[in-house]
Amino acid sequence: MAILVTGGAGYIGSHTCVELLNSGFEIIVIDNYCNSNPESLERVKHITGKEFKIYEFDLLNYEELENVFLTNDIEAVIHFAGLKAVGESVKKPLMYYHNNITATLVLCKVMDKYGVKKLVFSSSATVYGVPHQVPILEDFPLSTTNPYGYSKLMIEEIMRDISKSDAKWGIALLRYFNPIGAHQSGLIGEHPNGIPNNLMPYISQVAAGKLEQLMVFGNDYPTSDGTGVRDYIHVVDLAIAHVKAVKHVMYNQGIDTYNLGTGRGYSVLEMIKTFEKTSGKKIPYKIVERREGDVAMCYADPLKAKHELGWVASKGIEDMCEDTWRWQVNNPNGYEQVTLVSSTTK
Ligand code: NAD
Ligand code: UD1
């Protein structure tokens, strides 16, 4: 019996593959590498010392997907595959809706046909829109402002309907806050294409001298130092939550939603300071206008995941910065540099 991981070569998927393999699960990965590199999966094998099947195709391809279910014994699915850049989704809404929603429909249809009704889905804190208060609880009102966010919101709705229609489904909707960091080995991590949109990869490229300075988007928010506050969560903590969630759906029917965050918010300036301390590098920055669509504060109440999944985040922002920096130093061009470079082995 295996866990099928869609988008397993990506940032969060590759870290989850490591944790699944280390927990004794057999895995099968599907990825079309539209935003990743097959090298990440080679490194997953290197870190864990374990082999697994990899299929390269687009999840939109019903026949290929059906073949995977026909030829393997699949117990549950963790569905990471999707496009995730907010700005790009505004420019290319059709591409985002088709890739994220249609591919999920294809996946659920095939799962239904083959009686595999256990699913963990990657949602996002973006579905809370502008939260009326923090910390954010799972039952807060949902809204969003861009096609990426709508694709997550619609998929959540589709999954609630599937669950209502057939009690045999066991589904976990995981709402990630701000995943950052990298595996401690320095072998797998996040390498965005082009200039990063998100804070941590941007800071890390400034520290490496690849970008000149960080633009801090606004210092007039109602927060302790005026800069935006977010709930940063280490990607390995997030990966471990997926192992707990997949076990949960295997033994439970119905649909459950979980916030995955630490429950603590940090400001942009706090993140800069911590990164400078752990990397020993200066991060030049300039305060600029607020970024459209940004909220002042966003952090989770993660207690539901603690009580029902037995999961709590264990790593702090120092670990997040240290591991991001190790990954950056060892892999200045991401997976383009194909030789394995590791500062620690496991
Ligand atoms: P990622 O881009 O690194 O990984 C996604 C993977 O899916 C990539 O390997 C990509 O090649 C693959 N993929 C995309 N469309 C595909 C398709 N049609 N067929 C096959 N493979 C396909 O992104 P990530 O950061 O690892 O995010 C994983 C999931 O978590 C996504 O659904 C994303 O929306 C969600 N999420 C991410 C964040 C974040 O900050 N990284 C936050 C909240 C939610
Ligand atoms: C962003 C997305 C969100 C998505 C999440 C995934 C937007 C508006 N929101 O969230 O939908 O789920 O990424 O990780 O794109 N910042 C700077 N300078 C920068 C980059 C960021 O000051 O160059 C600030 C932002 O204003 C914010 C904080 O850093 O206060 C974090 O930003 P980011 O990493 O982009 O994450 P979110 O905005 O929370």
Side-chain angles (χ1 to χ4, degrees), residues 167-188:
K168 287 202 198 77
W169 282 82
I171 303 175
L173 306 175
L174 304 183
R175 294 182 181 148
Y176 313 154
F177 279 67
N178 288 62
I180 60 169
H183 193 261
Q184 224 200 326
S185 63
L187 286 172
I188 54 174

Side-chain angles (χ1 to χ4, degrees), residues 84-87 123-127 144-146 148-149 176-180 190 196-203 213-218 221 227-232 266-268 271-272 286 288 290-296 298:
K84 63 168 183 176
V86 173
S123 189
S124 165
T126 197
V127 301
T144 191
T145 53
N146 56 74
Y148 166 72
Y176 313 154
F177 279 67
N178 288 62
I180 60 169
E190 183 178 26
N197 295 312
N198 297 118
L199 182 67
M200 192 41 101
Y202 205 109
I203 289 184
Q213 65 175 352
L214 173 74
M215 308 296 161
V216 175
F217 299 141
Y221 284 107
T227 64
V229 166
R230 296 291 183 274
D231 188 339
Y232 297 95
Y266 289 93
S267 74
V268 176
M271 295 308 285
I272 295 174
K286 182 169 126 188
V288 298
R290 289 180 179 193
R291 179 173 65 180
E292 208 188 312
D294 272 357
V295 298
C298 178

Side-chain angles (χ1 to χ4, degrees), residues 10-12 31-32 34-36 58-59 80 84 99 148 152:
Y11 172 47
I12 305 169
D31 207 299
N32 65 355
C34 67
N35 195 39
S36 54
D58 194 316
L59 211 53
F80 292 107
K84 63 168 183 176
N99 191 76
Y148 166 72
K152 293 292 177 196

Side-chain angles (χ1 to χ4, degrees), residues 8 12 42 75 147 154 195 205 211 217 234 239 256 267 315:
I12 305 169
E42 291 309 310
E75 200 172 6
M154 287 180 204
I195 297 178
Q205 292 195 17
L211 294 168
F217 299 141
H234 197 294
D256 288 300
S267 74
K315 291 174 185 279

